[in-house]
Amino acid sequence: MTFLIVRHTQFYLIVHSILLVTRSGNVKRLEQRQITTLARAVGLLVLSIIGLLAAPSLSLALEKYGRPLPSMEQPDSAAAREAEETLFGGYFLTAAFVSNPTFAARPDNTGLVGLRHMLHLETDLYKQYLTFYTDQNFFSDRTKGWIELSEWDGTFALTGLVDRFGWRIQYERDAPLDKSGTKQVYADTLLTSRFQATEDLSWWKGIFPNQNLTAYAGAGWLFHNSNYFARPDNTGKALFRYVAHADLDLYKNRVVLYGDMNFFTDREAGNKLNPTEMDWIIGLALRFREDMEISVYREQDQPLDKPGLVQKYVAVQLRYSFDVPKRFWKQGGIR
């Protein structure tokens, strides 16, 4: 029997035999442990996904920063995406936090999220090399009736793809809506490298004709930071970000298991490279149309270098995507 044990107290993996078990729970004492390479994060993410496949009874999960939701683009459309510009596209989603013991409804960590609504819009400025997008996230407070909005997170960014590399420069502002209070504002850059099994592994399609594995990993720098914290309990100020993400297409892009890990470091700490917060997400998305999916997911945000608040929840989400290519604009005779 193989046991994969992931502990909050230590960032390491112990393997014994074939059954993989992911253990996550509150602990009384956290050991400070330096993470020397991003490879550990990628390895943990991949092994966590394998563990979920081997033990489907484990809890499922979501997304917090940027756009780590699984792509609804068909795997064979990557070449078309590079050749054609999008006039505008995006998605709308709404989610109910069916279990939420600690995930706060405002930047000052008050309340508990009940509902989440998000609009993502993007437009290609020059093919896939330069794209503008905005994310508008709204949360409600379940302790005040679920409906009234309590937080608005607005994001504006420029991003692009060059071969297997991605880049982003982003501004985000998280603010309360129903009362005055703490605002979290930052601007950052992010560089990532992408892997796709159908493109990078010659043998993949022969063995897995209806499945695909896509992943990316990278690092970012919060070059401007006004109160964007380095831990879930709102201590420290974030400086660097390390990310890893994977989408495992289980069947023809209709059933997708996805995971995401996001680490922050503290610019006020002695070691500014050592992660102080880890946000992990695991989710299962079911597509009943090419442009619509329902998913269940779990997110947990936890400190790494000392004891503190752990924010977590389980949610059910409905997402609808849309895309209007620029050729439709041109075919309509509009210039």
Side-chain angles (χ1 to χ4, degrees), residues 63-76:
E63 150 253 351
K64 184 175 180 180
Y65 90 94
R67 292 184 294 163
L69 287 169
S71 172
M72 296 183 75
E73 195 173 68
Q74 293 294 329
D76 295 335

Side-chain angles (χ1 to χ4, degrees), residues 32-33 36 60 67 73 102 134 173 182 206 286 326:
Q32 183 172 359
R33 201 156 185 88
T36 57
L60 303 171
R67 292 184 294 163
E73 195 173 68
T102 53
T134 179
R173 177 182 179 270
T182 300
L286 305 175
K326 285 188 176 179

Side-chain angles (χ1 to χ4, degrees), residues 106-170:
R106 298 174 192 83
D108 62 1
N109 282 349
T110 59
L112 294 172
V113 173
L115 298 175
R116 176 194 187 201
H117 312 290
M118 175 181 173
L119 177 64
H120 169 82
L121 290 172
E122 64 181 59
T123 182
D124 287 337
L125 303 179
Y126 181 66
K127 297 184 179 179
Q128 86 279 11
Y129 302 114
L130 181 60
T131 298
F132 169 81
Y133 75 83
T134 179
D135 291 334
Q136 302 300 318
N137 259 297
F138 298 90
F139 298 91
S140 73
D141 187 349
R142 65 195 298 154
T143 67
K144 292 194 171 182
W146 287 72
I147 303 300
E148 182 181 354
L149 298 179
S150 57
E151 180 178 341
W152 173 21
D153 300 349
T155 300
F156 303 90
L158 293 172
T159 186
L161 297 171
V162 180
D163 193 22
R164 64 178 61 247
F165 298 99
W167 63 271
R168 182 195 76 192
I169 181 168
Q170 174 176 278

